[in-house]
Amino acid sequence: MELAYIPSPSTGVIHLGPVPLRGYAFCIIIGVFAAVWLGNRRWIARGGRAGTVADIAVWAVPFGLVGGRLYHVITDYELYFGPGRNWVNAFKVWEGGLGIWGAIALGAVGAWIGCRRRGIPLPAYADAIAPGIAVAQAIGRWGNWFNQELYGKPTDLPWALKIDADPAIGRVAGTYHPTFLYESLWCLAVAALVIFADRRFKLGHGRAFALYVAAYTVGRFWTEYLRVDEAHHVLGLRLNGWTSILVFLAAVAYIVISAKKAPGRETVVEPGAAEDAAAVDGGAKDGKGSVKEPATKPVNGAKDVKEPAKEPVKDVKEPLKDVKGSPDAAPKPAGPKKP
């Protein structure tokens, strides 16, 4: 008897009139925004300009989506080009099927184009965005939950995932390992690891990104072992398992070689950003950024005259006398005295 389990959504899409709102697509979109937000904060902290991460993401994200879909279609071509299959389904991204390996590879090409247009070194950008990519993966994995896909082996653990039957695709009802949840939590741990290691060891020249790749592949290898969906096998191991091993070795090799050739971190990540910051700071000190007191100009050649001196005005209690009788009137010249 099942005492506890994680329920699956009855549907992965909600219709607002003729417009379908798909849970898988929402998870991807939210993940992209989270990655850009976190990457922007890290880029500014490294000395870059605000908004640069988003500008480059305009190139990286579309390339990544295309690359992720291509990897999935190529490695699981029989789902779209086999007997009784419709090749048009290869374009239905909202039904699931994005390979992270293709997404990272082709997304890096898009990021390289964006970085080149702005004169930014790609490794520095990759270091800044690395934890954000892990967070985006953690959020995106919940799209598999909406689609009831990529679950693991049967289990009766309290956190098992309940899957509904679907004879059209050969899905059998039962409770299975929630590999989407395992990978989501692992990706969050990877993001935390990269942030900690980057602060502690001042990783640079792409090493923070390489650490993310190496750490992610460890968890991916484990979840691949648990999954029961159809996949190509090589020497008894799933294709993505072999990919994880090869990518892990490449990432570790890059960290070691890069640390010897280019130790430390880049001092300049975006040309002109430091000058802009210095100009803003200098303007604030000179009073250009804020108005503290009005500027004064010399009056008639006088120096440092800020305000004309004022004399106190005495109260006039008596009416003014005739000018002739006024004590202030100029005295008349004395005439000759009479004998």
Side-chain angles (χ1 to χ4, degrees):
M1 181 178 179
E2 300 168 354
L3 298 178
Y5 57 84
I6 300 174
S8 292
S10 57
T11 179
V13 57
I14 300 175
H15 289 85
L16 292 180
V19 180
L21 303 177
R22 303 183 182 278
Y24 186 89
F26 266 111
C27 291
I28 298 297
I29 293 172
I30 294 173
V32 169
F33 276 102
V36 171
W37 174 80
L38 181 56
N40 183 65
R41 290 175 59 89
R42 287 173 52 80
W43 183 251
I44 294 174
R46 281 177 174 255
R49 291 190 179 100
T52 297
V53 169
D55 292 342
I56 297 176
V58 171
W59 290 90
V61 172
F63 273 74
L65 291 176
V66 173
R69 189 60 177 178
L70 281 175
Y71 181 89
H72 169 72
V73 172
I74 292 172
T75 55
D76 292 305
Y77 62 88
E78 67 278 358
L79 299 177
Y80 307 100
F81 303 102
R85 303 290 184 174
N86 186 358
W87 63 271
V88 177
N89 293 334
F91 297 94
K92 297 180 180 180
V93 181
W94 55 87
E95 293 183 354
L98 290 175
I100 185 60
W101 315 115
I104 293 296
L106 210 54
V109 175
W112 176 79
I113 295 174
C115 288
R116 186 176 178 82
R117 289 168 60 90
R118 299 182 69 101
I120 293 173
L122 177 60
Y125 179 83
D127 284 342
I129 201 68
I133 296 177
V135 172
Q137 288 179 256
I139 298 173
R141 272 306 175 194
W142 285 84
N144 302 134
W145 176 64
F146 280 100
N147 288 350
Q148 296 196 42
E149 60 184 359
L150 305 185
Y151 45 85
K153 299 176 181 179
T155 182
D156 56 357
L157 292 170
W159 56 85
L161 175 66
K162 187 174 183 179
I163 296 296
D164 301 324
D166 189 348
I169 59 176
R171 193 169 66 199
V172 180
T175 54
Y176 301 85
H177 277 284
T179 50
F180 84 91
L181 179 60
Y182 297 159
E183 189 167 336
S184 179
L185 295 176
W186 181 262
C187 287
L188 291 178
V190 170
L193 171 65
V194 174
I195 292 174
F196 168 77
D198 193 25
R199 291 177 179 175
R200 176 66 176 81
F201 302 105
K202 304 297 181 183
L203 302 178
H205 301 281
R207 288 188 288 276
F209 182 82
L211 176 61
Y212 144 72
V213 172
Y216 169 74
T217 55
V218 174
R220 181 60 184 266
F221 181 86
W222 174 61
T223 56
E224 281 292 325
Y225 172 77
L226 291 176
R227 281 167 53 170
V228 295
D229 55 300
E230 295 183 3
H232 294 285
H233 287 73
V234 178
L235 299 177
L237 189 64
R238 291 169 65 99
L239 177 60
N240 282 330
W242 282 110
T243 305
S244 297
I245 294 174
L246 295 177
V247 173
F248 172 82
L249 294 176
V252 172
Y254 179 87
I255 293 174
V256 174
I257 297 173
S258 174
K260 292 181 179 179
K261 289 188 174 182
R265 179 186 287 180
E266 300 90 340
T267 56
V268 178
V269 296
E270 185 168 4
E275 290 77 1
D276 293 347
V280 172
D281 293 341
K285 293 179 180 178
D286 295 340
K288 297 178 181 178
S290 60
V291 180
K292 296 182 178 179
E293 64 179 48
T296 56
K297 296 182 179 180
V299 179
N300 296 328
K303 298 181 179 180
D304 300 329
V305 179
K306 296 184 179 179
E307 187 176 324
K310 295 181 180 180
E311 296 181 359
V313 179
K314 299 180 180 180
D315 294 338
V316 180
K317 298 182 179 179
E318 298 181 0
L320 295 175
K321 297 180 180 180
D322 186 67
V323 176
K324 295 181 180 181
S326 172
D328 295 331
K332 296 181 179 180
K337 295 182 180 180
K338 292 182 180 181

